[in-house]
């Protein structure tokens, strides 16, 4: 039985390694206004046309630095929907009811050519509303569909889209194929360090590899985790999100 489990784990990790793609902001990178980056094989990221993009690196030895992220970027203007007025973003901040996506200030758009999960490395200010929105219609993803984890443990996004914590964190959400998603904080210049993208195809492959593992729970790297582990997991041969 031990040999069988070893083979399952090796197969799952090998498949997952091919399914995961990582984009890491490099030292001294400062995006140009509206720059689109072919970040990984399957994903692109668009930086908004903020007039003052600049480096904003993670803390040495801090939470995201320990996850291999070495540099970051931020801007100078809060995201709003009215363009620019005398060099500053003008208009209104996003509201879920109005679906008024920003066209000025600091925001990011990510897109994947296949369905999967983004794990974003960010620095979020306390007391700021955080949104991930569908670019097609401006609708905000449900707060329960967005997961966060920081140095102190799991974070919760409440009904008003406020995190239970702030600072450096990893934020996870599921993305449909060929759909763009806006990522931003109202009243804040959201700092971005990079992301990991795991394709749904890879998840299904890992699921098949661990399907006979007697009901154990696995993460997306094919590693066995506690049955109560939060986030995207594979359990009893099924992909699910545990809250």
């Amino acid at each position: 039985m031990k040999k069988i489990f070893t083979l399952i784990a090796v197969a799952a990790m090998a498949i997952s390694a091919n399914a995961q793609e990582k984009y890491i902001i490099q030292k001294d990178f400062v995006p140009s206004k509206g720059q689109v980056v072919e970040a990984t094989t399957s994903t692109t990221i668009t930086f908004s046309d903020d007039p003052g993009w600049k480096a904003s690196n993670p803390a040495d030895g801090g939470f995201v630095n320990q996850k291999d992220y070495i540099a970051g970027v931020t801007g100078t203007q809060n995201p709003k929907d009215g363009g620019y007025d005398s060099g500053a973003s003008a208009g209104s901040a996003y509201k879920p009811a109005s679906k008024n996506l920003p066209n000025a200030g600091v925001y990011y758009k990510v897109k994947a050519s296949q369905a999967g999960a983004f794990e974003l490395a960010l620095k979020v200010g306390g007391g700021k509303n955080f949104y991930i929105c569908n670019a097609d219609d401006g609708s905000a993803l449900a707060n329960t569909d967005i997961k966060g984890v920081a140095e102190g443990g799991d974070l919760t996004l409440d009904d008003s889209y406020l995190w239970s914590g702030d600072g450096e964190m990893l934020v996870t959400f599921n993305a449909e194929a060929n759909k763009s998603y806006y990522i931003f904080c109202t009243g804040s210049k959201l700092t971005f360090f990079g992301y990991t993208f795991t394709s749904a195809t890879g998840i299904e492959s890992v699921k098949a590899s661990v399907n006979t593992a007697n009901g154990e729970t696995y993460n997306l790297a094919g590693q066995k985790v506690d049955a109560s582990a939060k986030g995207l997991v594979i359990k009893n041969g099924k992909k699910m999100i545990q809250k």
Side-chain angles (χ1 to χ4, degrees):
M1 182 61 71
K2 182 177 180 181
K3 183 177 181 180
I4 292 174
F5 275 101
T6 300
L7 290 173
I8 289 170
V10 170
M13 286 187 286
I15 294 169
S16 180
N18 292 329
Q20 283 193 340
E21 305 170 14
K22 195 160 189 173
Y23 172 52
I24 298 174
I25 296 286
Q26 297 300 302
K27 292 284 189 181
D28 301 321
F29 170 73
V30 177
S32 57
K33 294 169 61 176
Q35 183 175 352
V36 180
V37 175
E38 300 287 338
T40 70
T41 301
S42 302
T43 71
T44 61
I45 180 169
T46 302
F47 297 90
S48 65
D49 66 344
D50 187 88
W53 284 109
K54 58 185 178 181
S56 182
N57 296 331
D60 288 339
F63 180 69
V64 299
N65 195 210
Q66 294 176 34
K67 307 294 182 181
D68 300 326
Y69 295 102
I70 58 174
V73 294
T74 190
T76 59
Q77 303 294 328
N78 295 336
K80 293 183 179 180
D81 66 357
Y84 291 100
D85 181 14
S86 300
S89 54
S92 302
Y94 176 83
K95 298 291 184 184
S98 60
K99 302 179 181 179
N100 57 319
L101 289 172
N103 61 8
V106 176
Y107 61 87
Y108 310 87
K109 286 196 293 183
V110 297
K111 182 179 181 179
S113 60
Q114 53 187 316
F118 280 96
E119 182 186 71
L120 312 165
L122 307 170
K123 184 177 181 181
V124 182
K128 307 299 182 182
N129 298 95
F130 176 86
Y131 297 102
I132 298 176
C133 297
N134 189 320
D136 291 339
D137 60 9
S139 60
L141 298 190
N143 63 310
T144 53
D145 290 337
I146 303 170
K147 305 299 178 185
V149 62
E151 190 168 13
D154 293 342
L155 299 175
T156 301
L157 195 62
D158 70 15
D159 291 342
S160 61
Y161 289 86
L162 291 174
W163 285 110
S164 57
D166 61 6
E168 295 181 359
M169 63 179 70
L170 299 176
V171 176
T172 304
F173 75 100
N174 290 332
E176 296 182 46
N178 298 311
K179 281 196 174 184
S180 294
Y181 296 86
Y182 279 67
I183 302 156
F184 58 92
C185 280
T186 57
S188 176
K189 299 86 174 174
L190 181 65
T191 303
F192 172 84
F193 305 109
Y195 57 72
T196 298
F197 176 74
T198 304
S199 70
T201 301
I203 295 171
E204 293 302 325
S205 298
V206 174
K207 181 186 76 174
S209 297
V210 301
N211 195 35
T212 59
N214 296 329
E216 300 287 1
T217 303
Y218 291 81
N219 63 21
L220 299 186
Q223 300 164 323
K224 189 166 69 174
V225 296
D226 187 86
S228 61
K230 301 293 193 301
L232 278 168
V233 298
I234 302 160
K235 193 171 186 178
N236 294 323
K238 296 181 180 179
K239 179 182 66 178
M240 62 182 67
I241 297 177
Q242 295 196 147
K243 301 175 182 178

